[in-house]
Amino acid sequence: MARRPLPRILSNGSAQIARSRELARTAADSATDVLHPLITIARGLRRLASAGRRRVAETPKDKRGPLLFMVASAILVVALMPYGPLLAAVTLMAAAAWHGRDRTPPEPDGPDETQTQRLQSLHEALVPYFSKAEDPAPLYAHGGDWEKTFPSYEFDDTGRLTHLVIRYPAYFTDGEAAARGRIEKLLTAKSGRGREYHFGWDEEGNQVTVTTLPPLPTDTAAQRFVTAPGETVLGFTDPTEIQRTLPLSYGEEQRDVPPVVWRTGIRSTEPHLLAVGQPGSGTSTLLRSIALQALQHGDVLVVEGGGTGEYACLTGRDGVLAVECGLAGALASLEWAAHETERRLIAANRARQEGHPPPEDTRRPLWILLDRPSAFTHLAAADDRTDPQALLQVPLRHGRAAHVTVVVAEQFDAMDTLSDAVLQHTRARAVLGPVTAQQVEAVLGAPPHTTPAGQVPPGRGYARLGVGPVHRLQVPATPDPYDDATSDAHRQAVLALLPLRSTPADAQPQQQEQLPLQEQEPERVPSESLPAKAVVVEQA
């Protein structure tokens, strides 16, 4: 049976709408050009009328009568003169046209002297990189014309470059990362340090576009994000990189911000995450943000190797299986997680063989969050015990099919202690803190398209999901609510997202904790074997 063609309004409706908009825009521009003299005269009459009202208002009341008499006399004389009304009308229109003219100063056609000098110096600096001795007609030469090499440019109010398009000769090796890196380093130094630049290389057109990136907002507090189950917001990035936006609340204001969304679950290609950074870079903040989002639909197991107690706010909460700070508790928790992964796989396989859907307890997501596992590696080697990272092989290898997700946060100085299983199966990566382009490439597998800044706020870095592009990243502010240095607004935002504390069946449910902090001390429970919904806390 032949398919009927779509109606014309559905097949090319978008083209007709675009054409209609273009026609309407053209008609509006034409009408503006035709009516421009009338618009100018009307604007001038309005300004003259306003000036007359101000003059009458400024005149004292005892002098308004004589003033009106003089005006009436002048009008009468003009009316009695030959061609008087016509001359008065012409004079009035001329005055209105003069007062109604556009008084905004015209924009300069080209750069000023300082901007020209800056562009010429940049052209001279690129000569050694974009010229060869055997080139008969070099595009770059000392004392050459910079207008041929910089077809487009923009400056800010301070005279610094914000946008620049650079043409380069076809024989430049733009396919080599080292050659592009030298040009990017030079442009960063000449355009102004302390800012981040995005470099867009067009190999086909032999052009590179340099754009100054605005700083990412750091005032995004922890909140409920509008995401589907299985989606986790790692942070926020530039609007030019992501087409999707999320509505966020900034006090009473609401803005749409592009997020970096990490998708987990059975169909995810990047089921596990590795976050690397310097001390104080925000890796713990990222793990807390992920934990608060994961508790909406799953269970969380936290293993902290730093022993700083930054996850004490999660202790005893609904959905938090354990918060471990010691080696024995970490081994027990991760061993239980490995057995739980195997149990889920076996139960799901049996259900499929019998023709039934997987059991509900095997489909509930389980999140394993490890902060600085290298600390346990040294302790395990000293006590001749099993390395906790060895227990991660089963969750890492089979976690996607069992709805188990592993998130590891480590510092740069301990990257060599991470096991091969962690490095191999964590395809989603994040780098936080002040880093170099070489460090970003070593962790993410690809260099960033921007120049890393020397000083960045906590939670600022880069992220890459699998083989995708490298995005700038700003983690939402999710501090430890028990820290005295935390602001009250951020503390209340985190406490509002925490689930209620777990209580025995015969006890009354507790209400959501608020300040003061001394009333929020977590309960201590002895470490035992981990059944589901257990809470274990062990001091290092």
Side-chain angles (χ1 to χ4, degrees), residues 348-414:
N349 186 31
R350 289 177 179 175
R352 295 190 188 96
Q353 291 180 357
E354 297 175 359
H356 300 295
E360 187 65 27
D361 59 346
T362 63
R363 292 184 294 177
R364 181 173 175 82
L366 173 62
W367 293 73
I368 304 175
L369 309 181
L370 292 91
D371 192 355
R372 295 195 62 189
S374 60
F376 293 125
T377 301
H378 297 295
L379 294 177
D383 295 344
D384 196 14
R385 305 181 67 174
T386 304
D387 186 0
Q389 296 188 52
L391 301 175
L392 292 175
Q393 294 189 10
V394 175
L396 287 171
R397 183 171 300 176
H398 305 287
R400 177 170 54 183
H403 295 276
V404 177
T405 303
V406 179
V407 181
V408 179
E410 192 51 83
Q411 297 181 3
F412 275 105
D413 55 359

Side-chain angles (χ1 to χ4, degrees), residues 13-68:
S14 58
Q16 290 182 355
I17 293 174
R19 193 179 303 110
S20 301
R21 290 178 178 175
E22 186 65 25
L23 291 176
R25 190 180 297 108
T26 304
D29 295 340
S30 302
T32 302
D33 295 338
V34 172
L35 300 177
H36 180 71
L38 296 179
I39 295 174
T40 303
I41 292 175
R43 188 188 305 119
L45 290 174
R46 185 176 67 252
R47 292 176 179 175
L48 288 175
S50 300
R53 286 196 300 267
R54 288 196 302 268
R55 181 61 182 276
V56 172
E58 294 173 358
T59 303
K61 292 183 179 180
D62 55 344
K63 296 182 180 181
R64 290 181 182 178
L67 178 62
L68 294 177

